[in-house]
Amino acid sequence: MNGKSEPTMRKILLALPLLALSSLPVLAAPTAAQKDEFYSVCMGISQDAALCGCKADAAMSLIDERFMGVVIASMKGGSPAAEDFRAYNAYVAKSNQVCKPNY
């Protein structure tokens, strides 16, 4: 390579990871209404305001809007779809780790 094309190639190589990241879908955070519904359903199950508040707060950063629907439906007695089951178990484990550290 000659000296003139090397800086251009370097710029292209540095830009590639940024382009790759910009093409990833942006996942929407759960909504405030979903957080409220999560808390309400949790309270109906456990009557533990501290736990339900912690879990509702944790869900806001651990999962996206679509998956919050999966979690709420599961709390109401549904089962996650087969393709969501592993992620659901991982979410439950992580939220327990955050909200029930010695669990």
Side-chain angles (χ1 to χ4, degrees):
M1 279 191 153
N2 65 30
K4 291 183 181 180
S5 65
E6 193 170 319
T8 302
M9 182 61 86
R10 188 172 296 145
K11 287 180 186 177
I12 291 171
L13 290 174
L14 290 174
L16 285 176
L18 295 175
L19 289 173
L21 287 175
S22 68
S23 67
L24 293 175
V26 176
L27 300 176
T31 66
Q34 284 179 309
K35 182 180 180 182
D36 292 344
E37 182 179 10
F38 180 105
Y39 182 83
S40 176
V41 172
C42 181
M43 284 298 292
I45 296 166
S46 75
Q47 303 296 311
D48 185 336
L51 176 65
C52 291
C54 180
K55 289 236 179 196
D57 288 340
M60 298 301 285
S61 62
L62 293 175
I63 56 179
D64 65 9
E65 182 179 11
R66 182 197 74 81
F67 205 76
M68 179 70 112
V70 171
V71 170
I72 292 168
S74 296
M75 291 167 60
K76 290 179 176 180
S79 292
E83 62 270 13
D84 288 330
F85 201 74
R86 181 174 281 157
Y88 179 81
N89 285 337
Y91 157 74
V92 170
K94 183 63 177 173
S95 68
N96 283 345
Q97 184 181 25
V98 169
C99 297
K100 299 167 82 173
N102 297 319
Y103 181 71

